[in-house]
Each structure stands twice: as structure tokens, then as C-alpha cells.
Amino acid sequence: MHNKDIDKARLFIYNVLSLFFVEEHVKNHLNELIENLDILALNSFDEDFSKIIVEIEELLKNYEKNELYVQYQELFLVPFGNSVSLSASWHHEEREAGLMLIKVRDILAQTKIRRDESKFTAQEDNFGFIFTLCSYLIEQQINGELKTNLQKELFKEVINPFIDKLSFQLVASGSEVYTRVGTLLSIFFNFERVYLEVQRVK
């Protein structure tokens, strides 16, 4: 059973998460991220979630202009050290452009939107794009423009099997911000499992 107020909050959280994982946002929209974190901290569904949001917000407010982007590059773009892949295909079969890319494209094909390559340089199975797509699908459902629950399908087929692994890798990364983002993912997606009635993949 869906609750429109909860869905609006989920839409907002997916938007905030996408700001951490889409290169264009991290590189050029730090102020937007801080503003959204401020709103989220004041309207959080969980005390621990709110506490971590405030910690991240404080870090970002004290960062130099490109400091978060440097962490992003070191973690997601440089294939050495504590590198973490944002590709769902990589988490599934340790190669790019695999089955998960097909699954995301199948879901995307059932909507009116397509990937804007000027904003999303990565493939559609990149978690930054997936979180953006989730927020769009939830918005379409709230507005009654989608009759099928494509967001649940995306969560069940692509996010749920791999989000714990991604979260763990981020927590263990040593990155000041993304360690905390990994904890946010863990808290939020445990909520999503309960809300969407989807079991954790073992």
C-alpha cells in the first residue's frame, strides 16, 4: 500500500542520493547538494539518518570548491586503491554493460524519458542514473502517469541485489563523505525493503 506523503519523501531522498553519484552534480552543483541536505536533515524519517546528514552537511560547508569532486574521482573514476564501481553490471558479473544494463534499459523503454548524455556520461546501470530514474518513476506514480510500479521493479531487479555490497564498499572506503553516504544507503534501503515489501537478497 502506497502513501503519497511517504512517496514524496522517497522521491526527494532519491534525488539527494543522485547528487552524490552523478559526476556532473558532484562537480558543479555542490550548493544544491548542501541545500537539499539541509531540507532532508530537518525532515528525516530516522534519527540516525538525520545525524549523518548533518555530519555530511558540516563537512561540505567547510570544503574547498572541488574537495568533494576529488573524493568522487579517487573513489569512482581512478581504478586503483579503494576504487568502487557504480555500475550495477559490475556488481552483478564483474564486467561493464551486462545484464543489469539491459534490465534498466527495459524499464526505461516503458517510460517517455531517455538518458540525457550531456548530464549522464555513464551508462544507464550506473547508480547515479538509477537513483535519478527512481525519483522520476516515483514522481510519475504520484502524478498518476504510470500505472505499473516500475520503481519497485527497478528496486527489486537492480538495486536490492547489490546495494548492500555498494554500501559496504563505501563505508570501508576511507572517504570522509562517502563513508557516511554508505551508511545512509544502508539505512534508507532497509526502509525501502520494508516499504516495498521486498526481501533482502542473501
Side-chain angles (χ1 to χ4, degrees):
M1 187 173 73
H2 278 268
N3 177 301
K4 190 172 277 192
D5 290 335
I6 293 175
D7 285 342
K8 287 179 180 176
R10 293 171 58 235
L11 184 162
F12 188 77
I13 292 171
Y14 274 110
N15 261 328
V16 173
L17 292 178
S18 75
L19 295 175
F20 283 108
F21 294 106
V22 174
E23 183 178 3
E24 160 67 15
H25 295 321
V26 176
K27 189 175 182 181
N28 297 316
H29 300 282
L30 183 60
N31 289 338
E32 181 185 343
L33 176 56
I34 293 171
E35 287 169 11
N36 281 296
L37 289 174
D38 199 38
I39 294 168
L40 194 54
L42 295 172
N43 300 285
S44 181
F45 67 98
D46 179 278
E47 192 174 319
D48 290 335
F49 195 82
S50 178
K51 182 181 169 188
I52 297 165
I53 290 286
V54 171
E55 288 176 9
I56 295 172
E57 194 180 359
E58 288 303 313
L59 285 168
L60 295 180
K61 284 179 178 175
N62 292 309
Y63 273 4
E64 298 291 330
K65 185 181 175 187
N66 290 327
E67 205 163 338
L68 180 63
Y69 185 54
V70 169
Q71 288 186 38
Y72 180 95
Q73 288 176 305
E74 290 174 348
L75 199 53
F76 304 122
L77 300 181
V78 179
F80 306 109
N82 291 332
S83 177
V84 174
S85 176
L86 291 178
S87 161
S89 289
W90 183 263
H91 288 281
H92 180 247
E93 50 201 311
E94 295 193 356
R95 71 180 181 95
E96 302 290 341
L99 180 61
M100 293 302 115
L101 179 60
I102 295 170
K103 284 184 180 280
V104 177
R105 285 181 174 172
D106 283 348
I107 291 170
L108 197 57
Q110 298 176 59
T111 72
K112 296 175 182 174
I113 64 161
R114 296 295 175 261
R115 179 172 62 108
D116 180 349
E117 294 183 16
S118 66
K119 291 182 180 174
F120 301 99
T121 55
Q123 299 273 14
E124 291 91 335
D125 63 342
N126 178 285
F127 278 99
F129 182 82
I130 291 168
F131 295 154
T132 305
L133 180 58
C134 280
S135 67
Y136 169 80
L137 294 174
I138 293 170
E139 184 178 34
Q140 292 292 297
Q141 285 178 221
I142 291 171
N143 294 337
E145 295 173 23
L146 270 182
K147 301 304 177 194
T148 55
N149 194 344
L150 292 179
Q151 193 273 324
K152 180 174 180 177
E153 184 180 338
L154 184 60
F155 177 78
K156 189 175 177 181
E157 296 294 324
V158 181
I159 297 175
N160 188 42
F162 312 111
I163 200 65
D164 288 339
K165 183 178 176 185
L166 177 62
S167 172
F168 178 80
Q169 289 179 336
L170 293 176
V171 169
S173 70
S175 162
E176 201 169 42
V177 167
Y178 285 98
T179 293
R180 291 172 170 83
V181 173
T183 304
L184 290 182
L185 293 183
S186 180
I187 296 170
F188 176 62
F189 286 105
N190 280 334
F191 167 82
E192 284 286 87
R193 287 186 181 109
V194 173
Y195 185 68
L196 296 172
E197 299 178 331
V198 174
Q199 296 291 316
R200 181 190 300 272
V201 175
K202 296 180 181 176

